[in-house]
Amino acid sequence: KEQGKSRSVRYSPDMDDRAAEHARMGADLQRALAGGELFLLYQPVVTLPHGDLSSVEALIRWRHPERGLVSPAEFIPVAEHNGMIVRLGDWVLREACRQMAEWKRDYGDAAPSRVGVNVSARQLREPAFAQTVADVLAETGLRPSDLLVEITETAVFDDGPAVETVAAIQALGVAIALDDFGTGHSSLGLLRTCPVDILKVDKLFVDEVTGTAEQAAIATSLAQIARALGLGAVAEGVETPAQAMRLYQMGYRLAQGYHFSRPLSAEDLGGLLAAGGRGPDAVEPPALAS
Ligand code: C2E
Ligand code: MG
Ligand code: MG
Ligand code: MG
């Protein structure tokens, strides 16, 4: 009796519980999308060394009526699993582009250079996805260069159809970033087979840039690879001035992280744009001596 199902439900988070929890969350997500519980935050991507605003990345949030804020790390995998990511992803793309058009209208040249939207593997396997991107640009009046699509290595690794979709999106004039670079099924060959404009170097490697040369080696090499291939490089998850300084010395010219700004509401980002896009935490350029 002790080992009956009430035990597992109440005390031990095992597989069944997780499946039940996923099912519940999936149903909740349907309601969330219809009921306006989802919203986007925008995290600045800044130029080094001064920390001026360059672009923004749209990051989804869910304000659950009982559970409060739910992390995308929790619900995006559920939406990918039950297929809802396709509708949810369409909503993110539309909302981010609508907001970008509003900033361009209200702030002109002070608007972010582009808005980055995270796109999951499942979306890239929709045959119509590149057309959806073209439609949303047309509907919102954005130029293709106002948008950046962030994909992961895993999403395109060994997957012909996904790579073709990415190529079709790039052919529209939309920039492509490889997100969390170095943490997925990495293969440098991917940089030759998959159309890509920007490498987003994962926080994992950024965390180590102030350590020994050995610890910093991957971040150093990725900056060199990006430069050699003519790609942009963004350092993700920069949390300290010392990291920002080291990254600048390594050749990084773009960074994102709590040191510069947390993800902001559209309203707060508007405030930043009205103030001219200058971050409060500018990093002084390092001395010129090598
Ligand atoms: P990501 O695309 O790599 O986004 C960067 C994540 O790092 C964000 O977490 C951001 O808040 C966090 N971050 C930024 N700077 C720092 C820092 O200095 N320190 C730390 N510790 N974290 C930092 P978030 O918003 O929780 O999103 C997590 C992941 O969920 C994203 O990783 C992305 O893979 C996924 N995601 C978020 N929004 C969407 C979306 O609209 N669609 C899809 N498909 N995935 C999304
Ligand atoms: Mg991203
Ligand atoms: Mg990332
Ligand atoms: Mg990351």
Side-chain angles (χ1 to χ4, degrees), residues 245 248-249 284-290:
M245 186 83 83
Y248 179 72
Q249 289 165 338
E284 285 314 310
L288 279 175
S290 60

Side-chain angles (χ1 to χ4, degrees), residues 72-92:
E74 230 182 299
F75 68 85
I76 291 290
V78 174
E80 279 170 349
H81 187 75
N82 72 12
M84 251 199 84
I85 190 68
V86 174
R87 278 200 299 137
L88 196 149
D90 276 5
W91 177 81
V92 170

